[in-house]
Amino acid sequence: MENRDGAVEVARPAWFTGGTRLFGDFVSLVEGQPNMLAIAGAVELPSSQSIQEVLDYVSDEFMRSGTGPDWEPNRRGHLVEDLIDVFNDLLPEE
């Protein structure tokens, strides 16, 4: 799962609708988190529970580093918001 430079490489699964670039950003964001990387690399659509785990993780990341001093989303925050949209759309409608 690592390339020659030591970076994690995970193939974008068909269920990830956010595109190749956003998927690469997602993998970079969760690098070092084995559970999140396993979800990212899942061939089949992850379970609702796994999707919720990702949403919890990226929401926490947004709170940690996704806003500037004025509480407006910064570049990382916009990335995380895009990931939240992708994973929210994967949850079944209630």
Side-chain angles (χ1 to χ4, degrees):
M1 260 172 61
E2 291 184 3
N3 66 16
R4 285 182 276 168
D5 300 325
V8 174
E9 263 185 28
V10 179
R12 183 177 66 88
W15 56 260
F16 188 88
T17 60
T20 303
R21 184 174 183 185
L22 186 59
F23 183 74
D25 290 338
F26 173 56
V27 170
S28 294
L29 181 72
V30 300
E31 193 168 10
Q33 301 295 320
N35 292 344
M36 294 293 113
L37 284 171
I39 294 168
V43 174
E44 299 294 323
L45 178 67
S47 68
S48 293
Q49 179 180 346
S50 293
I51 293 168
Q52 191 58 56
E53 288 173 20
V54 172
L55 286 168
D56 291 345
Y57 182 85
V58 296
S59 295
D60 289 346
E61 186 61 32
F62 182 83
M63 296 305 293
R64 266 191 303 278
S65 62
T67 61
D70 57 359
W71 293 101
E72 289 295 317
N74 56 26
R75 183 171 178 254
R76 187 175 186 93
H78 288 292
L79 162 74
V80 172
E81 285 178 329
D82 289 345
L83 289 169
I84 289 170
D85 289 344
V86 167
F87 283 95
N88 265 331
D89 288 347
L90 295 173
L91 288 171
E93 294 196 26
E94 295 178 12

